[in-house]
Each structure stands twice: as C-alpha cells, then as structure tokens.
Amino acid sequence: MNIDESAKLLRTLRTAKGMTQRELAERLHVLPKTVSKWETGNGFPDVALIAPLAEALGVSAEALLGVKTEENAKEAGNMKRSKIYRCPACGNVIFQTGKAEAECCGQSLAPLRANDADEGHCAQFAKTDGEYYVAFGHEMTKAHSIEFVACLTDDSAFVKKLYPEQDASCRVPIFRRGKYYCFCNLHGLFRIK
Ligand SMILES: [Fe+2]
C-alpha cells in the first residue's frame, strides 16, 4: 500500500468509527497534527502504533497495513483464539489463526499450550503513560528467563521480546479485552491476565 492509499484508508476507517482526529490522537497519545499528517499522506504511523491504531479503528493490523486478509479472517475467526508457536531452534514466535501448519527452521511446530500463571510466572500490571508496565519476579538468565510477552485481542496480536540479563519487565499496549501471556524458556506458556 502506498502512502496515499494508507492516508485514505486511515481517514475512511476513522470517520466510519465516528471519531475526530483529536479523539483518535488522544487515544494513541499523539498530537492531532500527527493524525492529520497520516491522513494527508505526509507520513506513516510509527510501527509501534500499528497495533493500538488498528484496535482504535476496529480492524486488524494486517488490514491496516493493506494485507488482504478479510477472507482468511472470516475462516480463521477471532485472533484471541490464535495459536502461539515458538521455534525451539531460533526462538521465532508465530501467531496463527485457523487451520494451517506452522513451520520454522525446517521443522513443523506444535502450538504452545497455555497454563494459568503459577507463583513463579505471574506478573504485576501497572498502568503508566497509557501502557501497561508488566513486571515479573522471574530470573533472567540464559538458561531460565521470560522470553516474550504476548497479547491477543479479537483482531490483533502483539509480542514483546525480552532478553536474558535484562530486566524481567516491559511495556505493552493496553487492550481492554486482551488476553496476555508470557513464555518462559524452561516452563512454557502462561496466561498472565
Ligand atoms: Fe520459569
């Protein structure tokens, strides 16, 4: 999608939601002139804003990026029911809806099964600057660490990678009806909110 098509799509989606540029800007914690810039073809939204922008406009991130996924989406249903895969060879994280084989590094992958977070993998959520600050009381060694935090909503998927020897915390978007997960490289996937 080129910048003019993107601008037109954003304006169309926003007006269809009955939102003003100011309302959308406030929701995304940007200036109204930033939204105006996007809608007049003078800039693309920052990649970090794609997921919250898509949620605000009630579409998938793929739809916002111009990927023709509507037919697939109908079959695949709700992103919140996506399967999460992780490649044990390279650590790649894959979200998948509907029926399809997931493959990475030459091997097929089985979906991760999420358990409710136990004491060692639960997280504290604090709202700060329009985001969640998520903190774990979990070690962050190479052998045992939280590898990523993921969030699934009805129409979007978000993943934040964490790295050994860094803090066991990160910031993630606030999705009101999102399901939040963390993945421990030793103990697997946990539902944390
Ligand atoms: Fe763990």
Side-chain angles (χ1 to χ4, degrees), residues 120-121 138 144 146 184 186-187:
H121 298 90
H138 192 281
H144 186 201
I146 300 294
C184 164
L186 203 57
H187 299 112

Side-chain angles (χ1 to χ4, degrees), residues 94-105:
I94 299 167
F95 296 102
Q96 196 156 270
T97 59
K99 291 177 198 158
E101 293 293 316
E103 204 177 280
C104 192
C105 293

Side-chain angles (χ1 to χ4, degrees), residues 20-171:
T20 63
Q21 288 185 342
R22 178 172 293 278
E23 286 167 340
L24 181 60
E26 279 172 3
R27 191 150 167 189
L28 299 170
H29 306 286
V30 299
L31 295 171
K33 70 178 180 190
T34 304
V35 174
S36 170
K37 208 168 70 176
W38 301 337
E39 292 187 358
T40 50
N42 290 304
F44 281 112
D46 190 274
V47 67
L49 287 171
I50 295 295
L53 178 59
E55 194 191 36
L57 296 173
V59 296
S60 67
E62 288 84 354
L64 203 58
L65 295 167
V67 182
K68 306 278 186 221
T69 56
E70 280 179 32
E71 285 306 310
N72 290 342
K74 274 181 204 154
E75 286 172 27
N78 183 321
M79 286 297 287
K80 216 187 272 180
R81 293 197 289 268
S82 297
K83 296 185 183 82
I84 303 175
Y85 300 79
R86 174 190 172 270
C87 174
C90 71
N92 188 18
V93 181
I94 299 167
F95 296 102
Q96 196 156 270
T97 59
K99 291 177 198 158
E101 293 293 316
E103 204 177 280
C104 192
C105 293
Q107 56 181 321
S108 34
L109 306 176
L112 298 172
R113 292 177 67 105
N115 291 311
D116 287 331
D118 57 17
E119 208 176 314
H121 298 90
C122 56
Q124 299 222 316
F125 283 72
K127 280 186 185 174
T128 171
D129 298 331
E131 291 179 306
Y132 276 136
Y133 174 73
V134 185
F136 298 88
H138 192 281
E139 68 178 83
M140 289 297 280
T141 60
K142 203 169 178 190
H144 186 201
S145 59
I146 300 294
E147 205 172 277
F148 64 83
V149 173
C151 177
L152 299 176
T153 74
D154 290 343
D155 58 12
S156 57
F158 171 89
V159 64
K160 177 76 179 176
K161 294 278 269 184
L162 303 181
Y163 296 94
E165 314 308 338
Q166 296 186 355
D167 282 350
S169 64
C170 62
R171 286 166 178 260

Side-chain angles (χ1 to χ4, degrees), residues 15 53 156 177 190:
T15 51
L53 178 59
S156 57
R177 289 182 295 279
F190 294 95

